[in-house]
Amino acid sequence: MTGEDSPSRGEQVEAAEREAAKQRLLDQAEKDRVPTDDPTRAVPDRRWKRDR
């Protein structure tokens, strides 16, 4: 397997590290996500529209 189109060992390691980092970010984002039915979530203040 010495063809030009085969990725080197270093490239394989970098690709695996990038994928692992991406998965960590996705996992963290999912953990920090606020459910839409969470009553503590801020809602837009639309009082200014009534004054018009």
Side-chain angles (χ1 to χ4, degrees):
M1 208 165 167
T2 59
E4 287 291 320
D5 57 348
S6 65
S8 70
R9 179 71 181 130
E11 290 170 333
Q12 289 174 345
V13 169
E14 285 181 24
E17 288 174 351
R18 276 195 304 272
E19 188 59 35
K22 182 172 117 180
Q23 192 58 50
R24 282 193 303 272
L25 284 171
L26 290 171
D27 291 344
Q28 184 66 36
E30 180 64 25
K31 191 177 92 173
D32 293 344
R33 188 175 64 85
V34 177
T36 55
D37 59 350
D38 187 342
T40 62
R41 182 174 177 182
V43 293
D45 185 1
R46 295 194 173 97
R47 286 180 293 179
W48 63 272
K49 287 187 176 180
R50 279 188 266 156
D51 295 337
R52 290 187 151 182

